Amino acid sequence: MNILLSIAIALAAGLAVSRLIRLIHLPNVTAFLIAGLLIGPSVLGILTEEATLALDSFTTVALGFIAYSIGGEFKLSYLKEIGVRPIVITLFEGLTAAVAVFGVMWALGFDLALCLALGAIATATAPAATLMVVRQYKAKGPVCATLLPVVAMDDALCLMCFSICSAIAAALTSGQEMSAWVMLGKPLLEIVGALALGTAIGFVEIICSRFFRSRGNKLALSIACVMLGVGLCEMWGLSSLLVCMMIGAVMINLASDRSVLVEQCDRFTPPLFLLFFVLSGANLDLSILPQVGLLGAVYLLSRAAGKWAGASIGASLTKCEPNVRKYLGLTLLPQAGVAIGMAHMSSTVLPAYGPQINAVVLCATLIYELVGPVITKVALTRAGEISAERA
């Protein structure tokens, strides 16, 4: 099947299932994932495994635009208003999830290296599903305002945690020495490099936008900058999520025509996001479900409990509104791209545990991505940030 036909089928399936899902009031992102699962290799096989692999570049670009959109929420005026709250909450919700997964698994007798790797991966949260729910229902309020920066910073936290824990786990299994460079220096350099690259491309976008007046050309410029960031990240091994997030943050704070750039990008991205989630659903493999057993169940439950408890503790310490303390943790369950990437890296760093880690993370992705958006919608509705009419 050629690429254009695969794209057409994916878009048509997503649109069709979204109309059916609307009858039972579920988020569009859940519909897109279900559509992908149905037409993917695990169920009907309309989209083959080869077709989904051929479309990988589309999913990578879509993630870049998702990060760009999240960066567009980082307005300095708002960040000054809320202060260090998102940073504190991110640290608590991420690290509490990691400690919960590690602690429960270790207590149940699983190998220390396996516990360390899965604990680190547990910190990651998928920004795409959360952003789609917020946009679809035009959710607005303290929970949403805190949620978007927290989800954005999770990527950096996960990168740091995984680099440290995987280095310790590799040393435990192979007997090699642990170095400060491998555990701290290298991941910190990657984060700083990604933020620096994103800042540079953001300034390029701002300068170049002054030479174009038409909305179409401004949109083309935004697309070029995001694709430039993603392409350079693939060459240099940096986080495209951090880079594109920084491009969006620089643009929203310094560009004089920021409103036009954001508006045009918002008009362009919905089909791209639809395609991203349908392809994500198509990549979910149902055959892994029987393989995970107790290990997968422990990971799912302990991570969810850790995210909720950590977010509540962080929100309480920073004196956030009661709704933020109560509902923020429930919106942090989705997990996808970054976690899957870390799981694939585990196969190289920890070959003895690679198959187990991959099976657990892919199973968690399947469940979290299908259930997470629904829970996010319910939490935001109960927090009063989605109106009854839109819900």
Side-chain angles (χ1 to χ4, degrees), residues 148-377:
L148 293 176
V150 167
V151 168
M153 286 186 282
D154 254 354
D155 185 32
L157 180 63
C158 180
L159 179 61
M160 286 291 294
C161 286
F162 184 79
S163 298
I164 294 169
C165 291
S166 62
I168 296 172
L172 290 171
T173 55
S174 64
Q176 67 182 10
E177 291 186 14
M178 292 177 282
S179 67
W181 166 251
V182 171
M183 289 193 297
L184 294 174
K186 188 177 179 182
L188 186 61
L189 183 63
E190 287 179 7
I191 291 171
V192 172
L195 296 178
L197 177 60
T199 302
I201 297 175
F203 276 109
V204 169
E205 180 179 12
I206 291 169
I207 294 169
C208 292
S209 67
R210 297 173 182 171
F211 296 97
F212 302 104
R213 295 190 178 276
S214 77
R215 291 174 177 264
N217 285 338
K218 289 181 184 293
L219 173 60
L221 175 63
S222 296
I223 294 171
C225 288
V226 172
M227 288 188 172
L228 174 64
V230 173
L232 291 176
C233 286
E234 290 191 344
M235 285 177 57
W236 297 338
L238 298 174
S239 168
S240 60
L241 289 176
L242 286 178
V243 169
C244 294
M245 181 189 72
M246 201 64 196
I247 297 172
V250 171
M251 177 275 297
I252 200 67
N253 286 291
L254 299 178
S256 57
D257 53 352
R258 62 178 73 91
S259 59
V260 176
L261 291 169
V262 170
E263 180 188 347
Q264 290 302 106
C265 196
D266 286 346
R267 291 176 184 272
F268 166 76
T269 51
L272 195 60
F273 291 175
L274 188 162
L275 183 62
F276 168 77
F277 284 108
V278 172
L279 293 175
S280 297
N283 284 318
L284 297 176
D285 186 1
L286 294 179
S287 65
I288 65 168
L289 290 177
Q291 301 175 24
V292 295
L294 175 64
L295 184 62
V298 169
Y299 178 85
L300 281 166
L301 296 175
S302 56
R303 177 183 176 272
K307 285 282 182 182
W308 179 81
S312 298
I313 294 168
S316 297
L317 290 175
T318 53
K319 299 180 180 179
C320 291
E321 293 82 351
N323 277 347
V324 177
R325 302 175 202 174
K326 191 173 181 180
Y327 295 112
L328 179 65
L330 298 175
T331 65
L332 297 172
L333 297 184
Q335 189 173 47
V338 175
I340 293 172
M342 298 301 174
H344 287 323
M345 287 176 62
S346 299
S347 299
T348 303
V349 180
L350 301 167
Y353 300 100
Q356 281 179 288
I357 294 171
N358 264 311
V360 169
V361 172
L362 288 172
C363 177
T365 297
L366 172 64
I367 295 171
Y368 281 138
E369 286 292 277
L370 292 174
V371 176
V374 179
I375 296 175
T376 299
K377 178 199 169 186

Side-chain angles (χ1 to χ4, degrees), residues 130-131 134 142-152 328 331-332 376 380:
T130 303
L131 181 65
V134 171
V143 179
C144 282
T146 309
L147 169 64
L148 293 176
V150 167
V151 168
L328 179 65
T331 65
L332 297 172
T376 299
L380 293 176

Side-chain angles (χ1 to χ4, degrees), residues 8-40:
I9 291 172
L11 291 173
L15 291 171
V17 177
S18 69
R19 297 305 302 175
L20 296 174
I21 285 290
R22 186 167 294 184
L23 299 175
I24 52 175
H25 308 292
L26 293 181
N28 282 343
V29 62
T30 303
F32 301 152
L33 288 164
I34 291 173
L37 186 61
L38 290 175
I39 65 174

Side-chain angles (χ1 to χ4, degrees), residues 57-73:
S57 57
F58 288 93
T59 60
T60 305
V61 171
L63 269 176
F65 277 101
I66 288 165
Y68 181 78
S69 297
I70 291 175
E73 303 290 335

